[in-house]
C-alpha cells in the first residue's frame, strides 16, 4: 500500500453550535481545501439537539470545497429530533452516517468511512454486561449491536483506506483527564473490538472534552480524540500515508 497517495483528514467533534455563534465556525473553515481532502465531524454538533441549532450547523457546513462526513452525538439526540437534524445536514450536502459506511473518492485513494454515534458501557474489566435488569441488558445490547454493524460495514467495504468515525470512545486511553466514574458513559471496548476484528487505519471520536488526544486499540489501530476542547483549534489534520 506504500504507493497510495497521502490522504489528509480534517477532523473535529463537539462544536456545539447555536444561533448566537452563527457564521463564526464557518470562518475558521476558510482555506480548508488547501490543508485537507475531507472534513469529518465526530458528533455533538448542537447544544441541545434542537432543529434551529441543527439548521445553524447545516449552514456552517454547507457548500464546503471538500466532502464533509458527520455522525451525531448525544447532544444531538437530546430533543428527539436526531432524524430531522440529520435531514437538514444531508440537505446541506453533508454525509451523515448512522452505523453504516460510505466510500469517498479522494485524490489517488478510495477512502472508506464507517461509523455512527457509538455508545457507552465501559472498558474491559470495568464494564457493564448483558446481565440482570432489562434496562442494563438493553444498555449494553445497544452498544453491541452498533459495534456489530460497524464490523460488518468494514468487512464489506471496498476501499484503499478505512476510517471509523464515532462520537463515543472505543478506548479508555483517550479519556484520560476525565473522572474515572464517568468512563462507562464515554465509550465502550466493544467498539474497539469490532474495529480490530474488521480492520481500519484510524478511529476518530469526540465526547470527552477533558480527555487526551492520542491512543491506540489493543489491535494497534490509532485512535484520536478530536473533541474541540481537546484540540484547542477548529480542527486537526491527520495524514494517512503509505507507511
Amino acid at each position: 500500500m506504500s504507493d497510495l497517495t497521502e490522504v489528509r483528514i480534517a477532523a473535529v467533534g463537539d462544536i456545539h453550535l447555536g444561533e448566537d455563534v452563527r457564521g463564526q465556525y464557518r470562518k475558521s473553515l476558510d482555506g480548508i481545501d488547501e490543508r485537507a481532502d475531507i472534513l469529518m465531524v465526530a458528533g455533538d454538533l448542537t447544544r441541545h439537539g434542537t432543529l434551529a441549532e441543527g439548521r445553524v450547523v447545516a449552514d456552517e457546513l454547507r457548500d464546503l470545497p471538500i466532502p464533509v462526513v458527520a455522525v451525531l452525538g448525544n447532544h444531538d439526540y437530546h430533543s428527539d429530533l436526531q432524524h430531522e437534524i440529520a435531514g437538514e445536514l444531508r440537505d446541506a450536502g453533508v454525509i451523515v452516517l448512522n452505523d453504516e459506511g460510505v466510500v469517498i473518492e479522494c485524490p489517488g485513494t478510495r477512502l472508506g468511512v464507517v461509523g455512527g454515534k457509538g455508545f457507552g458501557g465501559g472498558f474491559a474489566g470495568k464494564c457493564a454486561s448483558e446481565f440482570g435488569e432489562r434496562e442494563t441488558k438493553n444498555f449494553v445490547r445497544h452498544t453491541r449491536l452498533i459495534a456489530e454493524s460497524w464490523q460488518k460495514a468494514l468487512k464489506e467495504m471496498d476501499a484503499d483506506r478505512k476510517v471509523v468515525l464515532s462520537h463515543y470512545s472505543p478506548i479508555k486511553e483517550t479519556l484520560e483527564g476525565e473522572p474515572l466514574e464517568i468512563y462507562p458513559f464515554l465509550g465502550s471496548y466493544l467498539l474497539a473490538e469490532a474495529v480490530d476484528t474488521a480492520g481500519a487505519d484510524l478511529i476518530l471520536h469526540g465526547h470527552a472534552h477533558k480527555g487526551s488526544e492520542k491512543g491506540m486499540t489493543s489491535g494497534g489501530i490509532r485512535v484520536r480524540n478530536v473533541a474541540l476542547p481537546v484540540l484547542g483549534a477548529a480542527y486537526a489534520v491527520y495524514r494517512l500515508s503509505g507507511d
Side-chain angles (χ1 to χ4, degrees), residues 120-134:
F123 302 89
K126 298 178 176 64
C127 60
S129 63
E130 287 185 62
F131 181 86
E133 297 90 341
R134 183 179 302 276

Side-chain angles (χ1 to χ4, degrees), residues 69-213:
V69 181
V71 298
L72 301 185
N74 57 305
H75 279 246
D76 308 317
Y77 276 72
H78 180 67
S79 298
D80 295 324
L81 293 171
Q82 61 270 18
H83 300 299
E84 290 82 355
I85 290 173
E88 291 288 337
L89 292 169
R90 291 184 177 114
D91 288 345
V94 177
I95 299 168
V96 183
L97 297 180
N98 184 20
D99 304 330
E100 59 202 332
V102 65
V103 176
I104 307 292
E105 296 291 343
C106 293
T109 303
R110 300 178 75 248
L111 178 66
V113 188
V114 168
K117 171 177 62 68
F119 205 50
F123 302 89
K126 298 178 176 64
C127 60
S129 63
E130 287 185 62
F131 181 86
E133 297 90 341
R134 183 179 302 276
E135 290 81 3
T136 299
K137 288 187 284 190
N138 287 344
F139 182 86
V140 179
R141 184 177 298 121
H142 181 61
T143 306
R144 177 174 58 80
L145 292 175
I146 287 171
E148 289 174 355
S149 296
W150 293 6
Q151 182 176 319
K152 183 175 184 291
L154 284 166
K155 284 184 174 180
E156 295 178 349
M157 176 171 284
D158 180 15
D160 300 315
R161 305 284 194 195
K162 296 179 182 180
V163 174
V164 173
L165 180 63
S166 174
H167 183 59
Y168 287 76
S169 176
I171 61 172
K172 62 183 180 181
E173 285 75 14
T174 50
L175 304 182
E176 292 179 0
E178 295 281 2
L180 289 173
E181 293 82 356
I182 68 172
Y183 275 29
F185 306 103
L186 297 176
S188 169
Y189 79 99
L190 294 174
L191 304 176
E193 276 194 350
V195 180
D196 277 340
T197 299
D201 297 283
L202 176 67
I203 305 174
L204 302 169
H205 76 86
H207 197 31
H209 293 197
K210 297 179 180 179
S212 305
E213 182 187 2

